Amino acid sequence: MQNFRTIKGTHDLLPEELNLWREVGNSVHTLMQQNGYGEIRTPAFENTELFVRGIGTDTDIVTKEMYSWTDQGGNTLTLKPELTAPVARAYLQHQMGNQNPIHRLYYIDALFRRERPQKGRQRQFHQFGAEAIGSSNPEQDAEIISLAYNIFKKFDIQNMSVRLNSIGNAEIRPAYLESLRSSVKKIKSKLCATCQTRIEKNTLRLFDCKNPHCQELLDEHAPFIFDSISDKDQAHFEMVTRILNEIEIPYFHDKKLVRGLDYYSHTTFEITSSALGAQDALCGGGRYNGLIEQLGGKSTPAVGFAAGIERLILAIDKQNISRNLPDIYLIHFGDETTVTASKIANDLRLNCGKIVVMETLRRSLKAQMREAGRCGAKTTIILGEKELAANKIIVKDMSTGNQNEVPISEINQFFNKTS
Ligand code: HAM
């Protein structure tokens, strides 16, 4: 018989780990709502063409990482590898631009990319992110950057670095790429094999190479796109930095930060943490003023970011995280106690809001006491046949060892008083 296992690059998330995931989710919801962002959920798969057109034909995602297939109806579909294109599609489909000049949307979702799995890089992973659609102004860029930064701050992520750049508007790109290609061709033979293949088709991605030798060569020979951006775009960038200074978000202007998706224009940013290892990007984002038009809408400015939840979880110091321990472990034994114990547990959950775990394995008293200690319950309720006959329970405080007898009819009042 075959032993089924998770597919390479995918993981089960077990209850213990999910306590922290829930905490991350709760913080994301709270912070996003505080900033006026509304949640959006899009389907797990979309037409392949949405991603090809949105992300770009020559990008890594589109050329080699998408999970795509043709369904029984002949439609070419893809499991979503990112969420900016689906959110832009939803914005257009629901004519959101006609309802309001600005939309602030956020998401928490699972995504799929067929990358080489390693620490912090999966084939199914999760992101939270935000997209602000409608404003072309730099304060919107700063709001997006601060959203991402503040979440990481809340979880006290160490050694964070905000890398910021501007790649200007799309019009300057063809001339810039031409000059980049011609400079880099002169040093082609000295670059790594991946860089050599990127020169013609995925030229901007040269700057993403992790090989220090390639980076040194680029520093020496390659022009930076930032040095070609217009005065207007430079002023936009400066205003973003002024706001970041004012709200005390430290950043570093990294002229090599170009990002790997074609829809970006103007501001690009990434937040990295050296606590993570090779895959050190906690999040990435930027402006994408051309995407909505590219997908068939009218020209609409937009800016956003997305952060990998697995990477945030890796970077969090687990010692500071509280577990949701049960308030009460309900021990019962003897043939007659089960029905009453079930009722007590149900009442305490519904009427007193307690976290109650009730014994359902019918173990010995000793084994049940051990289980109450193991699961970290603050209080234990004991209901044996003797107590049932006297219409009472024993309530034991697990930290002091103190015991009280409480009439069954007064349990709710007792626990409402003690909480
Ligand atoms: P991205 O840089 O492709 O951008 O992904 C954003 C973040 O998702 C990364 O910084 C990383 O934390 C996480 N991530 C990406 N791939 C993986 C993976 N295979 N395993 C684990 N984590 C991963 C985008 O997705 C853009 N849509 C961001 C954006 C939103 N730009 C504007 N709005």
Side-chain angles (χ1 to χ4, degrees):
M1 176 101 148
Q2 185 184 357
N3 279 331
F4 292 109
R5 301 190 58 84
T6 48
I7 307 295
K8 187 174 174 189
T10 70
H11 295 283
D12 296 318
L13 289 165
L14 303 180
E16 192 84 347
E17 289 169 80
L18 282 171
N19 286 329
L20 183 48
W21 278 70
R22 213 169 22 254
E23 222 170 294
V24 168
N26 291 343
S27 298
V28 170
H29 286 298
T30 306
L31 188 82
M32 293 292 181
Q33 308 268 349
Q34 263 176 359
N35 282 266
Y37 285 67
E39 189 178 3
I40 182 164
R41 294 188 195 186
T42 62
F45 54 90
E46 301 262 3
N47 277 313
T48 300
E49 189 54 24
L50 170 68
F51 300 114
V52 175
R53 199 137 24 117
I55 302 170
T57 18
D58 294 329
T59 57
D60 285 352
I61 296 181
V62 170
T63 52
K64 45 187 188 199
E65 294 170 4
M66 295 202 301
Y67 284 98
S68 302
W69 74 101
T70 306
D71 77 358
Q72 291 83 340
N75 306 301
T76 312
L77 305 172
T78 293
L79 285 178
K80 55 186 172 188
E82 65 99 51
L83 273 150
T84 310
V87 168
R89 194 262 314 129
Y91 173 87
L92 285 172
Q93 183 174 334
H94 303 287
Q95 299 176 355
M96 293 166 97
N98 295 343
Q99 296 151 23
N100 208 18
I102 181 149
H103 283 268
R104 291 181 166 91
L105 303 165
Y106 79 95
Y107 46 77
I108 303 181
D109 214 337
L111 302 168
F112 308 87
R113 293 185 194 174
R114 198 175 188 289
E115 294 193 80
R116 196 165 43 79
Q118 56 175 261
K119 186 178 165 206
R121 189 159 78 188
Q122 294 81 239
R123 290 179 171 178
Q124 176 175 339
F125 63 100
H126 299 78
Q127 282 184 346
F128 63 86
E131 312 291 351
I133 306 178
S135 168
S136 61
N137 292 320
E139 56 270 35
Q140 191 63 70
D141 308 34
E143 178 181 285
I144 284 287
I145 296 168
S146 74
L147 264 177
Y149 185 79
N150 288 339
I151 286 268
F152 301 137
K153 263 278 162 233
K154 158 130 198 2
F155 286 96
D156 203 18
I157 301 305
Q158 301 297 306
N159 306 321
M160 266 203 284
S161 166
V162 181
R163 299 162 61 209
L164 185 68
N165 194 21
S166 173
I167 58 170
N169 58 52
E171 286 79 62
I172 65 158
R173 212 155 310 156
Y176 166 74
L177 288 178
E178 211 30 69
S179 87
L180 177 60
R181 269 187 217 111
S182 72
S183 318
V184 174
K185 272 180 191 160
K186 293 180 193 142
I187 47 162
K188 185 173 176 185
S189 60
K190 297 183 187 157
L191 294 169
C192 74
T194 316
C195 281
Q196 292 193 14
T197 61
R198 282 178 171 164
I199 293 177
E200 288 306 328
K201 282 203 146 181
N202 210 352
T203 326
L204 272 183
R205 289 294 302 244
L206 284 165
F207 292 110
D208 287 344
C209 181
K210 296 264 192 254
N211 183 327
H213 178 64
C214 293
Q215 288 304 327
E216 268 169 39
L217 284 167
L218 290 173
D219 281 341
E220 223 176 292
H221 299 275
F224 295 123
I225 194 164
F226 185 83
D227 298 326
S228 320
I229 70 174
S230 69
D231 290 349
K232 186 168 166 247
D233 290 346
Q234 197 137 6
H236 179 104
F237 180 77
E238 272 163 28
M239 187 64 179
V240 175
T241 61
R242 269 183 64 193
I243 299 172
L244 294 183
N245 287 333
E246 190 64 24
I247 60 178
E248 293 177 18
I249 294 185
Y251 62 86
F252 133 76
H253 182 181
D254 181 354
K255 289 189 176 181
K256 285 198 225 153
L257 180 71
V258 291
R259 309 269 304 134
L261 300 93
D262 279 0
Y263 49 62
Y264 290 112
S265 64
H266 307 88
T267 310
T268 52
F269 76 100
E270 266 182 20
I271 302 181
T272 54
S273 165
S274 57
L276 280 176
Q279 298 303 315
D280 63 354
L282 286 163
C283 80
R287 273 211 164 267
Y288 49 95
N289 290 353
L291 177 63
I292 289 176
E293 198 173 4
Q294 177 79 10
L295 297 180
K298 56 178 195 236
S299 171
T300 311
V303 56
F305 82 94
I309 300 183
E310 284 82 357
R311 294 199 191 165
L312 171 58
I313 299 273
L314 276 174
I316 290 175
D317 182 354
K318 313 292 182 295
Q319 277 169 5
N320 298 332
I321 301 303
S322 55
R323 284 197 299 148
N324 252 352
L325 300 177
D327 296 310
I328 298 165
Y329 194 86
L330 205 160
I331 291 176
H332 64 105
F333 50 93
D335 289 341
E336 297 301 318
T337 56
T338 308
V339 174
T340 307
S342 303
K343 168 138 179 62
I344 292 172
N346 198 46
D347 283 353
L348 287 171
R349 290 180 195 123
L350 293 183
N351 301 332
C352 306
K354 298 288 181 194
I355 305 175
V356 183
V357 179
M358 183 185 121
E359 172 74 11
T360 55
L361 287 176
R362 302 188 180 185
R363 286 173 282 194
S364 70
L365 173 61
K366 199 166 143 208
Q368 290 190 48
M369 285 304 290
R370 211 179 310 122
E371 178 61 18
R374 192 202 61 80
C375 74
K378 294 160 208 150
T379 307
T380 303
I381 289 180
I382 302 162
L383 177 68
E385 280 177 342
K386 198 171 99 209
E387 286 78 25
L388 184 64
N391 269 320
K392 284 182 179 158
I393 52 161
I394 297 169
V395 178
K396 179 172 176 180
D397 182 317
M398 297 295 274
S399 57
T400 60
N402 291 344
Q403 293 197 173
N404 278 305
E405 279 195 351
V406 178
I408 289 178
S409 58
E410 291 170 22
I411 294 176
N412 286 358
Q413 293 93 298
F414 178 85
F415 277 101
N416 276 331
K417 246 193 303 175
T418 54
S419 60

